[in-house]
Amino acid sequence: MPSASLNPFRAAAASHVGQALGLDPASFPVTNPPDATLGDYAVGLFPAAKAKKGAPPVLAKQLAAAFTPTPLLSAATASGPYLNFTAARGPLLAHVLTGAARVPTTPGAGKTVVIDFSSPNIAKQLAYHHIRSTMIGWALVNLHRALGYRVIGINHLGDWGTTHGMLLAAAERSGTPEPLTIESLNAMYVAFRREIEQDASLEEAGRAWFKRLEDGDPVARALWNRFREVSIAEFREIYDQLKVSFDLYKGESEFEAAMPGVIQLLGDKGLTSISEGALVVNLDAEGMPPCLLRKADGATLYATRDLAAAIDRYQSYHFDRCLYVVDKGQGLHFKQLFAVLAKAGFAWSSGMAHVDFGQVRIGGKKAATRGGNVVFLKDVLAEATERSLALMKEIGADVPPEAERATAATIGIGAVLFANVKASRIKDIDFEWEEVISIKGSAAPYIQYTHARIASILRNAGGEVNPQADTSALELPEELALAKALADFPDVVQRAADECEPHGVGGYLLELCSLYSNYYSLGNADPSRKVLVADERLRAARLALSAATREVLSEGLRLLGIGAPDRM
Ligand code: ARG
């Protein structure tokens, strides 16, 4: 069942119907009537028919006839199988001016969400496609926090496995590159892979090095540790630019010690078997290939480490939800992971979910760091900043020189980030330089611009905004439409968190901008409709409505990890 509405007016509509019919209000979703003249909120009476309370159109008429106004709802009318409610204008406007931007923290109170996001593999640069997990994950962190959840954001670094043996073997062969950077490391690795194509015995050397690493050989450990540190330092630079942070960096390597225990535990439950020399959990009954725990040569696998990490997360945090923000290509891995945990009797595994997303294609092909089909994230962010700086100069932006660069970064990077939440996450994305960093036609700068424009109106008005302003003079349909949209903000946040779809917030913000523009531009044709009218009472109310809009735009962008400058 969807979460109950956080908009008190929608909640009142549902509970009115629920009470009148003696049914659970939560079973009545509140939608919007097809046309605003029919009312503000529509409640379909279909669940009543299911509960054998009568035919919806008949019930709608009866409920409408019996309706008496409540503090939040001023009217109810029947429209076919729907009962349409009108929100009481004064209370609606007062609610919006004083607090619509504030998302209540009740939904998540006492609940914990673990979010595994970004989680890149070390020793290679963050590529543009890493923006997907990083920013979808970061938005989910912000959304859940706003709703009152305790959130633990984890960077599950890919810092273990045979690849790391290959890196050590490569360093042995060609010498450790100096200066040691993520670029020189990756170049070394790529060259080594090319050599392997000629000489397969090198692959064996890599495996042997990984064995040394697993066995705790100090030489192997020390070098691996340097590779790891260099990588993390570079990742952090980019995370800082994106203003993303983690509660915990806990990579795959940290589960090395826990793995024998996990294998033991699954064995004790009678879940493991040997298949072609490897230790596996058979998942025939679940219709999946077996989950590999240990290869014939004794090496553990990605899945083994994820099992250990999942158990560790539950033991550490007793999460209600544990989300893995990872591309859809790993769908089977997570299905297997959850299935093994369920088979092992961990009831908490029902709270785990793979938040999958579509791939990034470059020139029509899947982006892959090591295939060479790659655009580095650092370069995209730098280029986007340069372009927005150039554009700001071209249009003569209203930004003091000392703030130019920071504003350009906020706008340029914002445009890049928004491209990532433009559509539902499962859609593949085609990387086009022109599209990703076009500032002019992009959605984020448009939202930022609307925000900055309202900020400028508020500055021009000079005085304080009064959220208690008398709203009785706000009578334009455009004002009402805006207020209704603002009142829905907490629901938009809740839905985005529940469904793990930050793009819902993006779409909402665009809609809000267009409602504000419609409203604002009324003043062009008719001065009496300007926000800054002469009439003081009206002006105070319009300013307060504008300020509430500004707050929701800024909060909504913040949740997506995008900044909202006051001047552009
Ligand atoms: N390092 C992996 C990769 O780059 C992603 C890890 C995702 N998290 C996890 N717990 N498996 O593909």
Side-chain angles (χ1 to χ4, degrees):
M1 202 175 285
S3 304
S5 176
L6 300 174
N7 175 343
F9 298 86
R10 284 186 191 274
S15 69
H16 182 88
V17 170
Q19 266 166 25
L21 297 172
L23 294 169
D24 180 6
S27 56
F28 292 95
V30 183
T31 55
N32 297 333
D35 176 343
T37 58
L38 295 174
D40 299 323
Y41 306 116
V43 181
L45 300 178
F46 314 102
K50 256 199 223 143
K52 306 220 181 342
K53 297 273 176 180
V58 178
L59 288 174
K61 285 211 184 83
Q62 286 168 358
L63 294 184
F67 181 82
T68 50
T70 70
L72 299 185
L73 302 169
S74 59
T77 53
S79 171
Y82 288 92
L83 189 61
N84 291 334
F85 291 93
T86 302
R89 293 297 178 253
L92 174 68
L93 289 163
H95 168 70
V96 161
L97 299 199
T98 53
R102 264 156 265 146
V103 176
T105 53
T106 36
K111 297 195 191 125
T112 297
V113 189
V114 169
I115 306 182
D116 175 326
F117 71 109
S118 198
S119 305
N121 295 333
I122 63 163
K124 54 183 183 181
Q125 284 168 284
L126 288 185
Y128 172 69
H129 65 260
H130 284 110
I131 201 169
R132 299 227 71 191
S133 172
T134 306
M135 296 314 293
I136 293 171
W138 180 236
L140 293 178
V141 168
N142 294 328
L143 289 162
H144 281 93
R145 272 197 188 128
L147 290 159
Y149 291 86
R150 173 171 79 128
V151 180
I152 322 290
I154 300 183
N155 195 332
H156 184 79
L157 291 174
D159 59 0
W160 207 242
T162 36
T163 304
H164 301 277
M166 299 295 158
L167 281 158
L168 294 172
E172 182 184 43
R173 193 168 168 79
S174 58
T176 304
E178 297 297 343
L180 187 63
T181 61
I182 220 164
E183 284 93 336
S184 62
L185 260 177
N186 189 53
M188 173 185 85
Y189 181 86
V190 171
F192 188 70
R193 292 252 47 135
R194 230 174 273 127
E195 284 190 77
I196 289 181
E197 279 163 30
Q198 311 302 320
D199 176 0
S201 73
L202 293 175
E203 184 120 31
E204 215 27 71
R207 261 196 275 260
W209 268 102
F210 183 53
K211 185 88 182 68
R212 281 178 71 176
L213 190 59
E214 280 193 304
D215 292 344
D217 172 290
V219 176
R221 281 278 168 160
L223 195 54
W224 167 82
N225 212 24
R226 274 192 75 200
F227 294 172
R228 191 174 184 276
E229 309 263 89
V230 162
S231 306
I232 294 178
E234 166 129 0
F235 295 161
R236 276 189 202 272
E237 246 173 64
I238 297 182
Y239 293 142
D240 284 350
Q241 269 192 60
L242 294 172
K243 303 190 167 64
V244 165
S245 59
F246 299 87
D247 297 287
L248 199 65
Y249 281 72
K250 192 160 184 177
E252 293 185 44
S253 62
E254 299 198 37
F255 298 99
E256 175 71 6
M259 276 188 292
V262 170
I263 290 175
Q264 175 81 42
L265 180 143
L266 297 174
D268 290 349
K269 293 187 188 260
L271 297 177
T272 56
S273 55
I274 303 287
S275 163
E276 293 167 36
L279 187 71
V280 304
V281 175
N282 184 298
L283 295 172
D284 279 351
E286 287 73 14
M288 285 181 239
C291 175
L292 238 68
L293 299 179
R294 196 172 57 209
K295 289 196 276 192
D297 65 4
T300 54
L301 293 121
Y302 183 52
T304 334
R305 293 186 281 278
D306 254 335
L307 285 165
I311 294 170
D312 173 65
R313 286 173 194 177
Y314 189 73
Q315 284 173 348
S316 307
Y317 307 112
H318 285 86
F319 56 72
D320 297 273
R321 274 185 123 178
C322 175
L323 307 174
Y324 294 87
V325 189
V326 185
D327 83 75
K328 67 179 182 193
Q330 295 195 27
L332 177 61
H333 165 74
F334 287 105
K335 279 204 191 85
Q336 290 177 310
L337 177 69
F338 304 157
V340 172
L341 292 167
K343 267 177 122 77
F346 294 124
W348 47 260
S349 67
S350 64
M352 308 183 98
H354 176 201
V355 179
D356 52 354
F357 53 82
Q359 283 161 341
V360 174
R361 285 179 305 232
I362 302 179
K365 284 189 303 207
K366 178 178 183 284
T369 322
R370 275 166 184 161
N373 191 31
V374 65
V375 178
F376 296 120
L377 186 48
K378 191 159 77 171
D379 297 341
V380 176
L381 300 182
E383 176 80 21
T385 303
E386 288 315 314
R387 290 207 185 195
S388 85
L389 194 58
L391 188 68
M392 280 167 57
K393 291 204 193 301
E394 183 191 315
I395 62 174
D398 163 36
V399 179
E402 68 279 6
E404 259 180 4
R405 202 149 250 291
T407 305
T410 307
I411 299 169
I413 294 175
V416 173
L417 298 183
F418 202 87
N420 179 40
V421 292
K422 214 161 64 180
S424 49
R425 61 185 149 77
I426 204 65
K427 294 236 170 76
D428 289 341
I429 292 187
D430 277 296
F431 177 90
E432 300 288 352
W433 270 108
E434 287 314 315
E435 206 182 295
V436 165
I437 49 192
S438 100
I439 308 295
K440 275 184 180 152
S442 166
Y446 168 62
I447 300 170
Q448 290 169 324
Y449 178 72
T450 307
H451 173 271
R453 186 160 70 171
I454 302 178
S456 134
I457 297 169
L458 298 174
R459 274 196 303 275
N460 291 340
E464 290 277 294
V465 170
N466 177 12
Q468 319 288 343
D470 171 2
T471 58
S472 55
L474 294 179
E475 287 175 331
L476 300 171
E478 288 79 2
E479 286 164 342
L480 183 65
L482 188 58
K484 273 162 55 181
L486 290 169
D488 278 332
F489 179 61
D491 276 346
V492 169
V493 171
Q494 173 163 255
R495 199 170 320 121
D498 285 354
E499 295 170 1
C500 297
E501 276 289 13
H503 104 95
V505 175
Y508 167 83
L509 294 177
L510 284 172
E511 175 67 29
L512 197 57
C513 286
S514 104
L515 288 171
Y516 190 81
S517 287
N518 289 346
Y519 170 46
Y520 182 78
S521 51
L522 293 174
N524 297 341
D526 176 353
S528 76
R529 299 183 175 197
K530 277 192 188 313
V531 171
L532 299 180
V533 274
D535 181 281
E536 262 178 47
R537 197 171 53 113
L538 189 52
R539 173 171 146 139
R542 287 183 176 168
L543 276 172
L545 183 61
S546 299
T549 309
R550 192 203 63 77
E551 225 177 296
V552 168
L553 290 176
S554 139
E555 177 62 2
L557 285 173
R558 184 190 72 78
L559 294 173
L560 296 176
I562 299 174
D566 278 341
R567 293 171 189 268
M568 283 175 66

